[in-house]
Amino acid sequence: MSEQIDSAIAWGSSRCSEASDTPKLDAELLLAHCIDKPRSYLYSWPEQLVPAEAWQRYQILVGKRIEPTPIAYLLGQREFFSLNFKTTSIALVPRPETELLVETCLELCPNRAGVDLLELGTGTGAIAISLKVNRPDINLIATDISTDCLDLARINASDHGVAIEWIESDWFSAIDNTSLFDMILSNPPYIAATDPCLMRGDLRAEPLSALSPGENGLEALQQLIVSAPAYLKTPGYLILEHGFDQQTDVARMMRKQRFTEITCQTDLNGLPRLSIGRLTE
Ligand code: GLN
């Protein structure tokens, strides 16, 4: 049995409402994906029949959506910084608030050739690749503890035609500290292991190790802030994404490591999301 496009959307939207705040959008994205058409096609041809095979696939994807599986994993891609990235369940889904990290890094990046950047915990590679696409002249090393993530990041880099040095590393462990960087950046895991949000919605389907570093949520941030000075040139910048309530702790930890000019930027929701520290000595 087959269905019209408009009734397939209504069906999917009602099913997805159990798991998603944007059920209609989710249903439309999944249906467009299954019939291999842009979303606009759905509005132009609401009475078209969905081919039987696509209708079957759509029902399966809607079923997965309500498990829940994030839309980005079902579509296998996510847009970030106006670029498309292959996205699978081995890595965190790139998030709009993280675009702030890329924007800030591009703003602060010295305007000369040969700037050295290090991104730690790259996941899909979205941050590093967005930087390199926009500043092809920078030297960029990006790390992840997971070889699977590095394989995914390499595919994304090749899709965008950029060259980045990918290193398997547990934060700084495999980084040679005779090579110093102008900027170090990271979107580390920062959700406390006890935070109930980890048990809700799409976060349940994302890799826990990319979301939560441990008990209080500050463990990875602390480790990065303590280690970074040994790998930074002076002047050099450390730029870190963090939780909306971690700004004070991050600033305190940065001051302790002699970072100065510490500033915090707010995300699209007006929440403190990014802290920047400058090392001058
Ligand atoms: N910003 C993400 C969220 O709250 C968490 C990402 C992270 O831990 N780095 O869903």
Side-chain angles (χ1 to χ4, degrees):
M1 202 194 81
S2 207
E3 288 281 338
Q4 281 184 196
I5 283 181
D6 54 0
S7 55
I9 293 171
W11 174 83
S13 173
S14 116
R15 297 295 312 276
C16 288
S17 63
E18 296 164 33
S20 169
D21 296 335
T22 54
K24 184 152 184 282
L25 174 64
D26 291 8
E28 290 174 358
L29 289 169
L30 293 176
L31 187 60
H33 175 72
C34 290
I35 62 174
D36 200 19
K37 296 273 194 261
R39 225 174 106 217
S40 56
Y41 181 94
L42 309 175
Y43 302 118
S44 308
W45 305 101
E47 286 161 20
Q48 278 269 322
L49 281 183
V50 179
E53 198 202 341
W55 169 240
Q56 292 291 328
R57 283 212 298 141
Y58 173 67
Q59 287 174 288
I60 293 169
L61 290 185
V62 168
K64 289 195 176 154
R65 178 70 194 104
I66 62 185
E67 276 175 5
T69 306
I71 282 285
Y73 293 160
L74 296 174
L75 302 181
Q77 58 174 15
R78 170 54 47 99
E79 191 182 300
F80 177 85
F81 221 71
S82 304
L83 299 167
N84 243 323
F85 291 96
K86 293 206 167 71
T87 305
T88 71
S89 60
I90 58 169
L92 210 63
V93 176
R95 289 154 157 72
E97 63 265 26
T98 304
E99 294 182 341
L100 183 63
L101 180 58
V102 178
E103 266 163 36
T104 303
C105 192
L106 288 171
E107 272 162 28
L108 294 175
C109 191
N111 203 4
R112 58 173 163 78
V115 173
D116 295 304
L117 255 71
L118 172 65
E119 193 222 343
L120 297 162
T122 197
T124 58
I127 294 171
I129 294 164
S130 303
L131 287 168
K132 187 74 181 172
V133 165
N134 285 279
R135 273 291 298 262
D137 58 307
I138 56 176
N139 304 319
L140 193 41
I141 294 179
T143 72
D144 206 281
I145 196 170
S146 149
T147 49
D148 289 342
C149 283
L150 291 175
D151 288 343
L152 176 63
R154 278 193 192 92
I155 293 170
N156 278 321
S158 128
D159 286 351
H160 293 292
V162 294
I164 290 168
E165 187 179 347
W166 306 102
I167 298 181
E168 183 184 338
S169 182
D170 181 3
W171 301 127
F172 288 97
S173 68
I175 306 298
D176 169 6
N177 77 348
T178 55
S179 46
L180 299 181
F181 298 92
D182 295 282
M183 299 174 113
I184 296 175
L185 48 142
S186 183
N187 171 21
Y190 52 71
I191 302 176
T194 49
D195 190 324
C197 82
L198 290 171
M199 308 301 287
R200 287 198 291 262
D202 285 2
L203 292 192
R204 286 172 291 173
E206 292 187 278
L208 184 62
S209 62
L211 290 167
S212 176
E215 196 108 347
N216 67 21
L218 289 168
E219 292 86 346
L221 288 160
Q222 158 102 20
Q223 196 176 338
L224 291 171
I225 294 167
V226 168
S227 306
Y231 297 84
L232 275 172
K233 297 179 196 172
T234 48
Y237 285 104
L238 175 62
I239 308 181
L240 296 172
E241 183 176 315
H242 53 72
F244 68 93
D245 53 355
Q246 292 171 328
Q247 169 189 11
T248 313
D249 288 312
V250 168
R252 176 182 47 76
M253 294 189 289
M254 281 186 170
R255 270 195 303 275
K256 203 165 167 208
Q257 303 304 322
R258 292 182 292 123
F259 283 94
T260 56
E261 299 170 38
I262 299 163
T263 52
C264 179
Q265 301 210 12
T266 51
D267 65 19
L268 298 167
N269 298 316
L271 299 170
R273 183 62 63 195
L274 194 70
S275 284
I276 303 137
R278 188 158 185 255
L279 196 73
T280 52
E281 50 170 296

